[in-house]
Amino acid sequence: MKIFTLLFTLAFTAFSVAPKIANVDTTESTITWTAKKVTGQHHGKVPISSATLDYQNGKILGGTFEMDMTNLTVEDITDAGSNKRLTDHLKSDDFFSVEKHNKSKFVITKAKTSNGKDYELTGNLTIKNITKPVTFPASVSTSGGKIIATGKLTFDRTHYDIKFRSGSYFENLADKMIYDDVELDVKLVASE
């Protein structure tokens, strides 16, 4: 009987501690990318194909989001031909090799917070089937039954074998150089 009671207690404790998985609304959530070069910058969107947040007692414990690289867009170039050229180039093997790697992913491995609003998120970012750890600040708020998590994730593209016009790998690029850091402004909206 004691074994049964112990097993029941352990099972109940494990069940009650498990975080709630909050499904992220991919239509309300956004990821905006920004890449800079010597002569300026470009930005656009990467659609979120799926995402979840592990949420318990008003705090984010973990989560994941997957990016659909096939539908990456450029938003700052209004000329249709120029926009298509840059979009196609970003999808090529010079950058994200979208034909071979159509998804990129971020998985939270640690969510540190002292107040449940301001976070330091650490996780694994996978691009082109290469996974590297990344840490970035994020903010979480709740409103009208929704959890809204925002943050700016910055990654070094050369860590993911994206070296096109990188000053770290090529000399004498002058004003053709593209900086290595890429910013992702992430906004995830989930239901509590």
Side-chain angles (χ1 to χ4, degrees), residues 8-42:
F8 178 77
T9 303
L10 288 172
F12 180 77
T13 303
F15 179 74
S16 64
V17 179
K20 176 184 173 189
I21 305 297
N23 285 319
V24 173
D25 184 342
T26 57
T27 61
E28 283 190 69
S29 302
T30 58
I31 296 177
T32 303
W33 63 266
T34 302
K36 298 177 182 177
K37 56 185 180 174
V38 173
T39 58
Q41 68 180 39
H42 292 294

Side-chain angles (χ1 to χ4, degrees), residues 22-104:
N23 285 319
V24 173
D25 184 342
T26 57
T27 61
E28 283 190 69
S29 302
T30 58
I31 296 177
T32 303
W33 63 266
T34 302
K36 298 177 182 177
K37 56 185 180 174
V38 173
T39 58
Q41 68 180 39
H42 292 294
H43 69 272
K45 300 277 193 225
V46 182
I48 300 168
S49 52
S50 66
T52 60
L53 289 173
D54 302 343
Y55 191 74
Q56 184 177 24
N57 298 327
K59 291 185 178 174
I60 301 279
L61 302 178
T64 183
F65 60 83
E66 185 178 75
M67 296 169 277
D68 175 8
M69 303 305 288
T70 61
N71 288 305
L72 174 143
T73 63
V74 174
E75 294 194 332
D76 62 297
I77 299 176
T78 54
D79 176 73
S82 297
N83 186 301
K84 183 178 183 338
R85 273 191 299 282
L86 180 56
T87 302
D88 289 348
H89 194 199
L90 291 172
K91 292 178 181 181
S92 78
D93 288 341
D94 281 343
F95 289 96
F96 294 103
S97 301
V98 170
E99 194 172 300
K100 297 175 203 147
H101 308 285
N102 59 6
K103 302 284 186 195
S104 293

